[in-house]
């Protein structure tokens, strides 16, 4: 899913055309056409109908690089997802106008594309006259409909540009349009502002006052968790559900098999495609799903103790700690969906999970579960099998480990310990061992993950 | 073609004001109608010269006072509705020597003059100046110093109201002077060529007419679930009276009407929230123009917006509670949020005003309220056949809901009943939105043109010019803007022109006239424009258009300017040397 760049050329030369205009009005338009054919502007594309500005995650091409039509140039983070953006024309990336990490409004120029190598200096000199506090971004090139449609997934993501006085955490914020605009510009959190307008509405001066007020000392990140010590707290609905499931799991005879997997190749791949928004979680889910394709029994489930089901699809549930509990958003058909879509899907699911907006089918349809505590430095642990599934895999940290190699030397490799808990009624030791071997092969040679 | 000046000022779908003098057949000279030049309202300023024609007109005016029209009918033409469409038709009918009457149940001038383009232009004239005076940066860069500009709401409202009255009386006088009978009451068609009129429900007077034109216009459309109280929840009808300037107003609908009012309200200090059902603001505009408009007219102002949502329920403010607007997702119909604002303007379009016309008496069934017509504005009955001697023009037929369209359609109808076939080219009718800066357009948008090109198998080209490169615009410190031309590179046919920029509404006519007259890019590009003017934006646009080289095309310029100048120069030098 790559967006297409708007390439546009008319106004690049407007400043110079203007100068010329004074002397030779008639020729300006013609000459402009000649210039415009050679140096084009690359515009911040509208990746979704609601996007008003985009943040540049990274430039995949560097200044001076030769680009062919369709080559990815830049990764843009829109309000919905990160997208690879491709160029529409052949040429050389002459100048990057908006560096990585900065944002630009939709339709504004973010880079210049020269048609030939000789024109790079010309483009760069134009950049010099083009950028400094210059006029508002020039009118945009051909129409929105050329942009690729927004990614299909993010349905429930809230509206972007003007933060809406949505209900969040049960608190409603009513703020006037200008107050919202100011708050955004001044970096004021409207939830912390008391409104002085009619009906307690936040108006512009409230936002300004809040921005002017000395900032309260931010709570120290590592502060002690704020819990009422010594008191008894009733389970929340989520805690209740977890408790029930955990007790139910005792009825299933489980066993565990561990494996150590070398991840150097996976790390290298991750570094390469990280800029495209791919996450390690998505890579591991993808690898697991591909291994499960070859071992359908590990993806099966036994519910009644008399029969078991080979699940028709591979849906990887990944445990996520959320405020007040644990939830397992599900990556459906993880074996079939490509890694980029899978990463976007994952990002969306996590956002929804944090906002407590997951729909039931988005967290209870997993056929195989992943649980990862590696980010805390945990090197190995043991997971409880969620009822209704056949197996769960606990992932430890990826860490450099001293290993002996086959040729008798000692080397350092990145390794990860995994530990699978499975229902022994249907999955036997040899099944798990074979599955883990397949998984380790996939991770150690991960080129198929990106197909 | 001779000189007929059609001065048009237009507005929004409220009905863009102005009248195109479609039938430009008179050699110019004397003003016939009572309108004055400074009253740039929804009316045409006609200039006529031919003494013969003038005599005929006078004769017609005199004859109109006679006992009966020709052929035993009371009138040759009866027009129901004295808005801009009816007025345009009446004036032209008198010129054609037709005995004419116009029936009006409310005030002469209709929506445009009383509740549309005219008063809104008065408010926009104020808002434009306010905006300019408040823009310190703009003033400073011109070297001007202005201290704390302010306004008097009632005086602004009076300006709008006075303008409407003035234009209304101009319109009335122009018809009276020509001898058009103005009949007061609500008109109902009771049968073939027969109209009754009088008070609502008691149409006591009956007249016969050889031809009837329905020109009853439209009223603001209010979706269900919205409760109008005229104070805090209202339509353009109320808003134009400017009885209040709310701190925060939600505008439901981001078309012409909504956009113009956002311009007025933000200039007067309100904050605005747009509620738009589609996924794009300004959905009717060329997408590129809409994007630029968003950048120039929305983003830098105190405006925010919700797109893809319907206002399912709007409750006026009462008992100390604000106006409540329930928003639901346009697709899923799920409740999204509730807005609490000080006022809400409903600008969701206009609905035809065709109830009580007695259409059932002649077997005509309206479609969503619109009177079905063919390309000649002849009314079609339920069986799809033409109802003889009955026409419908303007918003009531819904073809293109703009005041000047109504007038042009009226003139077209009068041409037909005077024995000359005439079909109005609707693609040549310009439209304008009078924000600051203005937006104007004629013909197809780029997506429409692309679709047509694909279907019919031709290519299109698009060229653009910027106001930033225009001397006059820069002198005014108003460089924001874009003009865009969509044309066929094989034939040079102009398909559409879209302008956003200073005085765009006045600039569009060069393009709309070119489309109306079939002028092609290769010809118009040699037309000379005064320097320095904003018109040069279009000059550059036409000059930037490249045509495909084709064998057999006449490559010689039709009016080689250089040799001609040389000859003139030579003659001049001969004369001066003597």
């Amino acid at each position: 899913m790559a967006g297409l760049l708007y390439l546009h050329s008319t106004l690049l030369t407007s400043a110079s055309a203007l100068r010329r205009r004074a002397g030779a009005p008639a020729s300006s338009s013609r000459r402009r056409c000649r210039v415009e054919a050679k140096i084009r502007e690359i515009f911040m594309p509208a990746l979704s109908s609601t996007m008003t500005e985009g943040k540049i995650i990274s430039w995949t091409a560097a200044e001076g690089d030769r680009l062919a039509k369709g080559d990815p140039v830049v990764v843009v983070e829109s309000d919905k997802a990160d997208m690879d953006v491709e160029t529409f024309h052949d040429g050389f990336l002459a100048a990057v106008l908006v560096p990585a990490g900065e944002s630009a409004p939709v339709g504004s120029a973010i880079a210049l594309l020269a048609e030939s190598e000789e024109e790079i200096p010309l483009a760069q000199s134009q950049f010099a006259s083009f950028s400094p506090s210059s006029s508002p971004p020039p009118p945009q090139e051909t129409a929105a409909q050329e942009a690729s449609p927004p990614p299909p997934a993010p349905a429930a993501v809230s509206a972007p540009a003007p933060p809406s006085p949505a209900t969040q955490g049960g608190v409603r914020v009513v703020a006037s349009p200008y107050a919202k605009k100011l708050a955004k510009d001044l970096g004021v959190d409207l939830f912390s502002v008391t409104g002085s307008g009619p009906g307690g509405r936040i108006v512009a001066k409230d936002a300004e006052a809040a921005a002017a007020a000395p900032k309260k000392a931010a709570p120290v990140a590592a502060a002690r968790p704020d819990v009422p010590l010594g008191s008894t707290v009733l389970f929340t609905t989520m805690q209740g559900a977890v408790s029930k499931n955990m007790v139910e799991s005792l009825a299933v005879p489980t066993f565990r098999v561990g494996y150590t997997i070398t991840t150097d190749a996976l790390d290298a791949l991750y570094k390469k495609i990280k800029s495209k928004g791919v996450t390690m979680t998505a890579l591991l889910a993808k690898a697991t799903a591909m291994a499960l394709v070859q071992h359908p029994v590990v993806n099966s489930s036994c519910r009644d103790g008399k029969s078991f089901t080979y699940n028709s699809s591979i849906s990887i549930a990944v445990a996520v700690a959320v405020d007040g509990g644990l939830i397992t958003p599900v990556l459906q058909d993880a074996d079939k969906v490509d890694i980029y879509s899978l990463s976007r899907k994952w990002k969306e699911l996590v956002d929804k999970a944090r906002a407590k907006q997951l729909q039931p089918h988005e967290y209870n349809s997993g056929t195989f579960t992943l649980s990862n505590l590696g980010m805390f430095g945990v090197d190995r642990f043991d997971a409880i099998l969620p009822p209704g599934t056949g197996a769960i895999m606990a992932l430890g940290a990826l860490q450099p480990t001293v290993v002996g190699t086959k040729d008798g030397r000692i080397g350092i490799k990145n390794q990860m310990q995994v530990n699978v808990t499975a229902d022994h009624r249907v999955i036997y030791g040899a099944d798990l061992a074979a599955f883990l071997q397949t998984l380790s092969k996939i991770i150690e040679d991960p080129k198929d993950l990106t197909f | 073609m001779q000189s007929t000046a059609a001065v048009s000022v237009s507005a929004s779908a409220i009905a863009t004001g102005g009248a195109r003098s479609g039938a430009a057949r008179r050699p110019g000279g004397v003003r016939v109608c009572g309108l004055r030049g400074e009253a740039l309202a929804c009316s045409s300023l006609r200039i006529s010269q031919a003494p013969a024609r003038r005599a005929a007109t006078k004769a017609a005016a005199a004859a109109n006072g006679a006992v009966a029209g020709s052929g035993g009918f009371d009138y040759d033409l009866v027009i129901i509705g004295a808005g801009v469409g009816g007025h345009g038709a009446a004036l032209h009918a008198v010129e054609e020597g037709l005995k004419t009457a116009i029936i009006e149940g409310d005030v002469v001038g209709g929506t445009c003059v009383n509740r549309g383009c005219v008063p809104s232009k008065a408010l926009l004239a104020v808002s434009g100046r306010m905006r300019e005076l408040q823009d310190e940066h703009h003033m400073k860069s011109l070297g001007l110093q202005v201290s704390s500009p302010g306004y008097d709401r009632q005086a602004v409202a009076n300006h709008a109201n006075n303008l409407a009255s003035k234009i209304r009386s101009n319109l009335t006088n122009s018809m009276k002077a020509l001898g058009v009978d103005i009949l007061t009451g609500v008109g109902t068609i009771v049968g073939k060529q027969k109209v009754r009129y009088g008070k609502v429900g008691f149409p006591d007077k009956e007249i016969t007419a050889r031809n009837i034109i329905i020109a009853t216009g439209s009223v603001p459309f209010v979706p269900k679930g919205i409760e109008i109280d005229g104070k805090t929840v209202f339509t353009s009808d109320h808003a134009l009276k400017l009885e209040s300037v709310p701190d925060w107003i939600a505008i439901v609908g981001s078309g012409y009407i909504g956009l113009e009012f956002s311009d007025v309200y933000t200039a007067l200090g309100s904050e605005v929230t747009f509620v738009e059902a589609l996924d794009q603001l300004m959905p009717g505009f060329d997408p590129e123009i809409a994007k630029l408009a968003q950048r120039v007219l929305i983003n830098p102002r105190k405006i925010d917006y919700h797109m893809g949502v319907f206002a399912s329920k709007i409750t006026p403010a009462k008992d100390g509670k604000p106006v409540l607007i329930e928003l639901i997702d346009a697709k899923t119909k799920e409740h999204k949020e509730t807005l609490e604002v000080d006022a809400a303007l409903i600008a969701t379009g206009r609905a035809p005003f065709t109830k009580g016309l007695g259409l059932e008496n002649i077997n005509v069934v309206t479609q969503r309220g619109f009177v079905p017509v063919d390309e000649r504005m002849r009314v079609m009955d339920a069986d799809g056949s033409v109802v003889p001697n009955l026409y419908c023009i303007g918003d009531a037929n819904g073809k293109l809901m703009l005041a000047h369209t109504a007038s042009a359609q009226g003139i077209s109808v009068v041409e037909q009943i005077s024995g000359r076939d005439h079909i109005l080219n609707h693609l040549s009718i310009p439209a304008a939105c009078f924000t600051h800066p203005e937006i104007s357009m004629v013909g197809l948008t780029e997506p429409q043109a692309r679709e047509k090109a694909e279907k019919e198998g031709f290519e299109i080209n698009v060229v653009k010019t910027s106001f930033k490169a225009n001397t006059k615009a820069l002198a005014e410190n108003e460089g924001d803007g874009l003009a865009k031309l969509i044309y066929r590179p094989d034939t040079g046919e102009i398909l559409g022109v879209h302008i956003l920029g200073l005085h765009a509404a006045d600039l569009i006519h060069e393009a709309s006239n070119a489309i109306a007259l079939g002028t092609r890019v290769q010809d118009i590009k040699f037309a000379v424009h005064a320097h320095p003017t904003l018109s040069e934006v279009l000059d550059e646009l036409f000059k930037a258009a490249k045509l495909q080289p084709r064998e057999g095309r006449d490559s010689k310029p039709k009016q080689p300017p250089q040799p001609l100048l040389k000859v003139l120069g030579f003659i001049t030098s001969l004369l001066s040397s003597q």
Side-chain angles (χ1 to χ4, degrees), chain A residues 10-11 18 21 32 52 135-142 162 164-165 172 175-178 180-181 201, chain B residues 248 271-273 288 291 295 298-299 301-305 337-338 340 342 446 464 466 468 474 536 540:
Chain A
T10 315
L11 291 153
L18 191 65
R21 169 126 194 95
R32 184 158 47 172
T52 55
S135 40
Q140 300 146 356
E141 191 47 34
T142 39
S164 50
R172 238 170 79 77
S176 80
Y178 188 45
K180 275 184 253 172
K181 225 166 243 192
R201 170 198 306 169
Chain B
W248 182 4
E271 296 179 29
V272 169
T273 295
E288 199 172 349
K291 262 191 202 165
R295 212 154 58 216
I298 295 190
N299 292 349
R301 299 185 180 174
K302 296 173 182 177
I303 301 178
D304 70 350
Y305 46 86
E337 62 185 283
T338 304
E340 294 174 14
D342 299 320
E446 190 177 331
K464 276 161 264 187
S466 166
K468 272 190 199 74
L474 289 173
E536 288 171 295
E540 285 234 13

Side-chain angles (χ1 to χ4, degrees), chain B residues 54-270:
Chain B
R54 190 156 36 132
T57 307
K58 276 191 173 164
N64 208 19
V67 190
S70 56
F73 290 100
D74 295 336
Y75 291 99
D76 293 319
L77 176 64
V78 165
I79 302 160
I80 307 176
V84 171
H87 176 258
L91 258 55
H92 192 54
V94 171
E95 278 164 31
E96 293 301 330
L98 303 177
K99 181 172 158 58
T100 308
I102 195 160
I103 302 176
E104 178 57 58
D106 189 19
V107 282
V108 170
T111 296
C112 167
V113 172
N114 300 293
R115 301 173 298 273
C117 7
V118 171
S120 70
K121 291 309 88 59
L123 296 183
L124 282 158
V126 172
S127 77
R129 285 181 173 81
M130 262 317 274
R131 195 177 292 290
E132 207 173 343
L133 292 172
Q134 284 168 339
D135 187 346
E136 269 176 55
H137 176 73
H138 180 89
M139 284 291 145
K140 225 175 181 174
S141 61
L142 290 171
L144 294 176
Q145 289 165 355
V146 179
S147 58
S148 59
Y151 68 92
D152 170 359
R153 183 198 56 77
Q154 191 54 50
V156 175
N158 291 348
H159 171 52
N161 193 32
N162 293 344
L163 178 67
S165 323
K166 183 173 182 179
I167 304 300
R168 183 165 61 233
S169 69
N170 283 344
L171 227 62
T172 312
N173 293 341
S174 72
M175 290 198 289
K176 278 188 181 154
L178 284 174
V180 175
D181 284 351
I182 302 176
L183 312 175
T184 307
V186 177
T188 304
I189 298 166
V190 286
K192 197 170 173 294
Q193 294 170 304
K194 207 177 283 177
V195 179
R196 235 183 241 169
Y197 69 97
K199 282 185 192 137
V200 185
F202 306 97
D204 45 1
K205 303 184 192 82
E206 188 167 303
I207 46 173
T208 56
R210 182 182 293 278
N211 290 288
I212 300 170
I213 296 179
I214 298 169
T216 45
S218 62
V219 292
F221 169 68
V222 178
K224 67 174 173 23
I226 298 179
E227 190 188 325
I228 301 282
D229 71 346
K231 300 278 179 217
T232 58
V233 181
F234 46 78
T235 66
S236 54
D237 286 1
H238 311 100
L240 288 165
K241 295 181 186 144
L242 201 71
E243 282 171 354
S244 67
V245 178
D247 288 342
W248 182 4
I249 182 166
I251 299 182
V252 183
S254 65
Y256 294 36
I257 306 178
L259 208 56
E260 286 190 358
F261 275 105
S262 79
D263 195 275
V264 171
Y265 280 118
T266 52
L268 298 183
S270 302

Side-chain angles (χ1 to χ4, degrees), chain B residues 431-464:
Chain B
C433 184
F434 292 81
T435 43
H436 296 89
E438 296 171 344
I439 306 173
S440 62
M441 66 209 77
V442 64
L444 304 175
T445 63
E446 190 177 331
Q448 286 168 344
R450 290 207 183 277
E451 196 186 321
K452 184 178 155 115
E454 197 155 307
K455 212 178 279 168
E456 297 176 15
F458 59 84
E459 269 182 54
I460 62 163
N461 264 8
V462 175
V463 288
K464 276 161 264 187

Side-chain angles (χ1 to χ4, degrees), chain B residues 184-504:
Chain B
T184 307
V186 177
T188 304
I189 298 166
V190 286
K192 197 170 173 294
Q193 294 170 304
K194 207 177 283 177
V195 179
R196 235 183 241 169
Y197 69 97
K199 282 185 192 137
V200 185
F202 306 97
D204 45 1
K205 303 184 192 82
E206 188 167 303
I207 46 173
T208 56
R210 182 182 293 278
N211 290 288
I212 300 170
I213 296 179
I214 298 169
T216 45
S218 62
V219 292
F221 169 68
V222 178
K224 67 174 173 23
I226 298 179
E227 190 188 325
I228 301 282
D229 71 346
K231 300 278 179 217
T232 58
V233 181
F234 46 78
T235 66
S236 54
D237 286 1
H238 311 100
L240 288 165
K241 295 181 186 144
L242 201 71
E243 282 171 354
S244 67
V245 178
D247 288 342
W248 182 4
I249 182 166
I251 299 182
V252 183
S254 65
Y256 294 36
I257 306 178
L259 208 56
E260 286 190 358
F261 275 105
S262 79
D263 195 275
V264 171
Y265 280 118
T266 52
L268 298 183
S270 302
E271 296 179 29
V272 169
T273 295
F274 271 119
V275 175
E276 171 58 54
L278 297 177
D279 288 335
Q280 185 199 351
L281 288 175
M282 298 164 272
F285 293 63
D286 182 272
E288 199 172 349
I289 295 288
K291 262 191 202 165
L292 181 62
Q294 173 154 355
R295 212 154 58 216
V296 175
L297 299 173
I298 295 190
N299 292 349
R301 299 185 180 174
K302 296 173 182 177
I303 301 178
D304 70 350
Y305 46 86
H306 299 266
M307 292 184 288
V309 290
F310 283 128
S312 60
K313 187 166 189 282
I314 301 186
T315 326
K318 56 187 158 208
D319 309 329
K321 276 198 270 179
V323 175
L324 294 177
I325 304 179
E326 306 265 339
L327 298 183
I328 58 168
D329 190 287
K331 291 191 190 84
T332 64
K333 310 289 179 217
E334 277 169 24
H335 179 265
K336 284 197 92 166
E337 62 185 283
T338 304
L339 301 181
E340 294 174 14
V341 294
D342 299 320
L345 167 66
I346 312 306
T348 42
R350 299 190 58 90
F353 180 62
T354 52
K355 279 212 182 102
L357 266 174
L359 294 171
E360 61 284 357
N361 300 333
I362 43 167
N363 190 30
V364 171
V365 179
T366 59
Q367 292 162 359
R368 291 179 299 119
F370 293 108
V371 178
V373 293
D374 68 359
E375 57 183 2
R376 291 179 173 81
M377 309 304 137
R378 297 181 295 196
V379 174
M380 315 289 285
D381 67 15
D383 310 322
S385 44
V386 168
V387 179
N389 306 101
L390 182 63
Y391 302 84
C392 177
I393 60 170
D395 289 4
N397 70 31
K399 272 187 180 279
L400 186 58
M401 296 171 84
L402 299 167
H404 49 270
T405 304
S407 183
Q409 289 174 348
I411 287 161
S412 172
V413 167
V414 171
E415 282 292 287
Q416 291 171 56
I417 61 187
S418 304
R420 288 177 297 271
D421 193 19
H422 188 269
I423 297 177
L424 179 65
N425 175 11
H426 284 80
L427 283 177
S428 74
I429 298 179
C433 184
F434 292 81
T435 43
H436 296 89
E438 296 171 344
I439 306 173
S440 62
M441 66 209 77
V442 64
L444 304 175
T445 63
E446 190 177 331
Q448 286 168 344
R450 290 207 183 277
E451 196 186 321
K452 184 178 155 115
E454 197 155 307
K455 212 178 279 168
E456 297 176 15
F458 59 84
E459 269 182 54
I460 62 163
N461 264 8
V462 175
V463 288
K464 276 161 264 187
T465 50
S466 166
F467 279 66
K468 272 190 199 74
N470 180 278
T471 310
K472 188 72 188 305
L474 289 173
E476 300 281 345
N477 228 339
E478 303 274 2
D480 278 340
L482 167 81
K484 170 174 176 177
L485 165 69
I486 304 153
Y487 67 102
R488 281 182 69 154
D490 53 347
T491 62
E493 185 190 347
I494 299 172
L495 300 172
V497 173
H498 302 265
I499 311 173
L500 184 152
L502 188 62
H503 294 304

Side-chain angles (χ1 to χ4, degrees), chain A residues 55-314:
Chain A
K55 185 177 171 189
I56 295 183
I57 301 292
S58 63
W59 285 94
T60 40
E63 286 188 4
D65 278 4
R66 185 194 195 98
L67 296 167
K69 186 175 164 181
D71 280 355
V73 185
V74 60
V75 182
V76 171
E77 178 191 57
S78 76
D79 50 332
K80 295 195 169 150
D82 295 353
M83 303 270 282
D84 254 7
V85 178
E86 302 169 357
T87 152
F88 219 44
H89 294 261
D90 294 344
F92 291 84
L93 187 64
V96 168
L97 306 182
V98 181
E102 286 188 26
S103 296
V106 166
S108 63
I110 54 176
L112 299 179
L113 187 72
E115 201 162 73
S116 66
E117 208 156 5
E118 298 79 54
E119 282 157 333
I120 295 177
L122 174 64
Q124 283 167 346
S125 66
Q126 277 184 350
F127 164 40
S129 65
F130 176 78
S131 61
S133 75
S134 75
S135 40
Q140 300 146 356
E141 191 47 34
T142 39
Q145 72 277 10
E146 273 186 32
S148 68
V157 180
S158 59
S164 50
T167 51
Q168 273 181 19
V171 188
R172 238 170 79 77
V173 169
V174 179
S176 80
Y178 188 45
K180 275 184 253 172
K181 225 166 243 192
L182 275 177
K184 194 181 171 195
D185 293 348
L186 300 172
V188 172
D189 177 13
L190 286 173
F191 284 95
S192 64
V193 178
T194 316
S196 67
R201 170 198 306 169
I202 298 169
V203 294
K205 69 174 168 31
D206 300 328
E208 279 166 347
K215 287 258 176 351
K216 274 185 258 167
V220 184
R224 272 235 307 269
D226 180 25
V227 292
L229 298 173
S231 59
T232 304
V233 183
L234 280 178
F235 276 166
T236 61
T237 318
M238 184 186 265
Q239 285 165 333
V242 170
S243 165
K244 183 170 157 281
N245 276 341
M246 291 304 96
V247 173
E248 259 175 40
S249 73
L250 290 177
V252 178
T254 54
F255 74 113
R256 291 151 188 90
V257 176
Y259 208 102
T260 300
I261 300 173
T262 301
T263 60
D264 286 332
L266 186 70
D267 289 339
L269 175 70
Y270 175 57
K271 272 201 191 100
K272 217 168 90 193
I273 57 178
K274 189 179 172 183
S275 63
K276 296 179 183 171
V278 172
T279 61
M280 190 47 111
T281 303
L283 277 171
L284 289 169
K286 179 81 192 166
T288 307
M290 287 172 72
L292 285 172
V293 173
Q294 297 178 37
H295 303 276
V297 73
V298 184
N299 195 45
S300 70
S301 54
C302 170
R303 288 191 169 82
D304 55 4
K306 292 178 197 140
S307 66
F308 66 104
T309 313
Y310 288 110
N311 288 307
S312 57
S313 64
I314 296 175

